[in-house]
Amino acid sequence: RVTRGWSSPSLSLVVVTMSSSIRGLTVGYMPSINTRARSSSVQDEDEEEQGLKSVVVRKKSLEALRESLEVDGSDNSDSDEGSKVITEKKPQPNVLRNGIGAYLKVTLTELFLVSPWKSLLLLFTPLTIMSDKLQWGSGVTFVLGVIALVPWGDRISWVTEDFVKYTNETAGGLFLASVGNLTEIVFCINCLQGDLLRVVQVSMLGSVLSNLLLVLGCAFLTGGTKWEEQSFNKTAAITNSGLLLIAVLSICLPSILDATHTGNGTPASAVSVNLHNLTLPSVPGAPSWLSGTGSLDEETSGGDAPLWLSRFIAIVLVFLYCLLIGFQFITHPHLFEDEEGDESEGILGMYGGIFWMMVITCFIWILSEYVVNQLKTASVDLHMPMLFLSGIVIPIVGNAVEHASAVCFAMHNKMEIALGVAVGSAVQISIFVIPLTVLGGWAMDKEMTLNFHPFETVILLMATIGVSFLVSDGRSHWLKGAMLVSAYVMIAAAFYAHAEPKSMS
């Protein structure tokens, strides 16, 4: 009744009126009943007075509760505003506040002495140079060079993550996503310069397979041994699976045209380049596209898949990658953000980060040249096919840091980050690095296409479909990891059994 607006005087008036009515009704009966009624009415009045007191106390408590709720609401709004402030990137302190000497000491320690095993692997860089100069053998130089790339790839990732702390969230995310595969990009450029186009294709495909099957499988397997079942963002997993399927489709189209001989490309000896209704004779023994200007009229030599198709698809994939960056960092960042934000202070500074990125990139470039130059003879010295070295050995060593980090995150039940490391890297290579190599080959007058040949294309298609099925439910356990690792072992054996191509270009 209090909540309906009844006041205490009105309530007491009603109670008194009801009591008087009851006494009036009992006056005409026998005295004993009247006496009992009178005594009971007095008792009722006492009880009603106590009830009124309790109602008043309850009313006061409701008012106090209402005031407390209003205070809590204001506190929540304040906390929401505070959370917005916390999520904003806080300004970084001056890295030279303690002097140049202290800055160099901290910087060099973080770069080269923070981990014993990384410091040990850095020693393989001078050993690679010594092996090449002292002619220890192509196989030795190749192995040393591949191992030496591991710590430098890890250091470029750390420098990039430190650099983005001095930018805003969107710009930092864009930069981090673009430079994350710098090692693969540098390796591909060196291979393109050496006309090792098949090595570029196989190494990129091997890197995707290594991330999808080996890295993700080991993360599921090790995490499943500690946790009965782990969960992750199903929406992000399905989105990445869709992007991988689109990338596989782009690779399948030129391969299917070439395998079924249904494309309009013809051998170089039988074509003439038509430019504005002007027919020019083709150069004897040279691909038809060398006589053109890079237009869509160019055709690949000796195959039925036109070269312009691969270049057109590469442009579409790069555009799709730009849309992915906008989706990931602008419109839907909550689907891909880490569970725990990194609020640590920057160490290198913005200009220091740029300097160290340039230095580390130079070392990666030099080591990649050693690896590429020794690849052909190293396959003979090591008695391993070039496709096996390019598609299995190099990607495994190149993804060693990602492999270790994904396993560590899975052991700590941080599957969102582990999935981002494994599948996210595969997506970046599929829709950014691979088409970038095609466009880079176009700029360098190299006949780089998306025709990955039926063997590699079918393997990538089946692996992508399998991973898409396994991550579609948003849950993982050790058996899923065992399936992925087993699939990768079988694919590695198939690469070893694959015959060497007649020409790596």
Side-chain angles (χ1 to χ4, degrees):
R1 291 175 179 175
V2 173
T3 58
R4 296 181 182 178
W6 285 50
S7 61
S8 299
S10 300
L11 184 60
S12 107
L13 179 61
V14 171
V15 172
V16 171
T17 304
M18 292 178 63
S19 302
S20 301
S21 300
I22 293 174
R23 287 197 297 270
L25 290 174
T26 57
V27 167
Y29 295 95
M30 58 183 66
S32 60
I33 297 176
N34 192 15
T35 302
R36 287 195 299 268
R38 187 175 300 165
S39 62
S40 63
S41 64
V42 173
Q43 184 178 0
D44 293 338
E45 288 178 358
D46 295 334
E47 293 177 357
E48 291 296 334
E49 289 178 359
Q50 294 178 359
L52 288 175
K53 293 180 180 179
S54 64
V55 169
V56 173
V57 172
R58 190 179 296 112
K59 181 180 179 181
K60 293 182 179 179
S61 64
L62 288 174
E63 291 176 354
L65 178 61
R66 188 181 299 111
E67 292 176 357
S68 65
L69 290 176
E70 292 175 356
V71 173
D72 291 339
S74 62
D75 291 341
N76 290 334
S77 62
D78 294 339
S79 63
D80 291 339
E81 295 177 358
S83 63
K84 293 179 182 179
V85 174
I86 291 174
T87 54
E88 295 179 355
K89 188 179 290 294
K90 61 182 181 180
Q92 297 292 333
N94 184 11
V95 294
L96 296 177
R97 59 188 182 276
N98 297 325
I100 187 66
Y103 170 75
L104 291 176
K105 180 180 179 180
V106 174
T107 299
L108 296 177
T109 302
E110 291 291 335
L111 280 172
F112 305 115
L113 302 176
V114 69
S115 176
W117 71 271
K118 293 176 184 177
S119 303
L120 181 62
L121 291 179
L122 287 172
L123 297 177
F124 283 84
T125 299
L127 290 177
T128 303
I129 300 175
M130 292 175 58
S131 176
D132 180 72
K133 300 301 181 181
L134 300 179
Q135 297 182 356
W136 291 352
S138 299
V140 176
T141 305
F142 174 82
V143 173
L144 293 175
V146 171
I147 298 176
L149 283 172
V150 174
W152 292 112
D154 174 72
R155 291 298 84 193
I156 192 66
S157 299
W158 181 83
V159 172
T160 305
E161 293 175 358
D162 187 86
F163 174 78
V164 299
K165 295 178 182 178
Y166 299 90
T167 62
N168 56 53
E169 294 288 346
T170 303
L174 293 173
F175 185 81
L176 186 62
S178 302
V179 186
N181 300 104
L182 182 62
T183 304
E184 288 85 353
I185 295 174
V186 171
F187 179 79
C188 290
I189 292 176
N190 282 314
C191 290
L192 287 173
Q193 291 178 343
D195 290 330
L196 300 176
L197 306 185
R198 288 286 288 144
V199 174
V200 176
Q201 293 178 335
V202 175
S203 62
M204 291 298 97
L205 181 137
S207 184
V208 174
L209 293 176
S210 175
N211 281 287
L212 284 181
L213 300 178
L214 185 62
V215 177
L216 185 62
C218 289
F220 284 176
L221 185 60
T222 54
T225 57
K226 184 177 180 180
W227 309 88
E228 181 178 356
E229 190 177 65
Q230 297 174 288
S231 60
F232 47 84
N233 192 327
K234 183 166 63 174
T235 303
I238 294 176
T239 302
N240 286 328
S241 299
L243 291 170
L244 287 173
L245 289 174
I246 295 298
V248 173
L249 173 65
S250 67
I251 294 175
C252 287
L253 295 176
S255 301
I256 292 173
L257 286 176
D258 185 73
T260 58
H261 304 287
T262 54
N264 60 9
T266 52
S269 59
V271 302
S272 297
V273 181
N274 187 283
L275 298 174
H276 304 289
N277 297 323
L278 177 63
T279 302
L280 300 176
S282 60
V283 180
S288 61
W289 62 273
L290 286 176
S291 303
T293 60
S295 67
L296 296 182
D297 294 329
E298 299 172 357
E299 299 170 348
T300 186
S301 61
D304 288 340
L307 182 59
W308 69 262
L309 177 62
S310 295
R311 293 170 175 172
F312 176 78
I313 293 175
I315 295 174
V316 175
L317 288 179
V318 172
F319 176 73
L320 180 61
Y321 178 75
C322 296
L323 295 181
L324 172 63
I325 295 300
F327 180 83
Q328 185 171 354
F329 296 105
I330 299 177
T331 62
H332 293 73
H334 61 280
L335 296 178
F336 302 91
E337 62 185 2
D338 295 342
E339 298 175 358
E340 297 180 359
D342 186 9
E343 299 182 358
S344 59
E345 296 182 353
I347 297 176
L348 302 178
M350 178 173 288
Y351 297 107
I354 296 175
F355 170 77
W356 283 110
M357 276 190 285
M358 295 175 60
V359 172
I360 296 174
T361 302
C362 292
F363 277 100
I364 292 175
W365 188 282
I366 294 172
L367 293 172
S368 297
E369 284 187 344
Y370 282 116
V371 172
V372 172
N373 294 335
Q374 303 295 334
L375 182 59
K376 291 183 178 180
T377 52
S379 64
V380 178
D381 293 346
L382 299 175
H383 303 285
M384 292 182 181
M386 286 186 63
L387 291 184
F388 181 79
L389 292 177
S390 305
I392 303 298
V393 176
I394 293 179
I396 288 179
V397 180
N399 295 330
V401 177
E402 296 177 349
H403 195 161
S405 61
V407 170
C408 292
F409 286 131
M411 290 294 292
H412 291 84
N413 200 24
K414 297 180 180 179
M415 293 305 298
E416 298 284 351
I417 308 178
L419 201 72
V421 170
V423 182
S425 179
V427 170
Q428 287 187 358
I429 295 174
S430 300
I431 67 174
F432 178 65
V433 179
I434 291 179
L436 190 64
T437 58
V438 175
L439 299 179
W442 189 2
M444 298 167 61
D445 288 338
K446 303 294 182 180
E447 193 180 347
M448 179 66 189
T449 72
L450 290 175
N451 181 7
F452 276 45
H453 297 217
F455 174 75
E456 294 90 337
T457 303
V458 172
I459 288 178
L460 182 60
L461 174 62
M462 298 306 298
T464 303
I465 293 176
V467 172
S468 300
F469 273 117
L470 293 180
V471 302
S472 61
D473 60 347
R475 299 183 179 276
S476 65
H477 46 74
W478 66 266
L479 183 58
K480 287 185 178 182
M483 288 189 286
L484 293 176
V485 175
S486 300
Y488 187 79
V489 172
M490 291 186 289
I491 291 174
F495 267 93
Y496 192 85
H498 194 282
E500 290 280 33
K502 295 180 180 180
S503 174
M504 298 306 293
S505 60

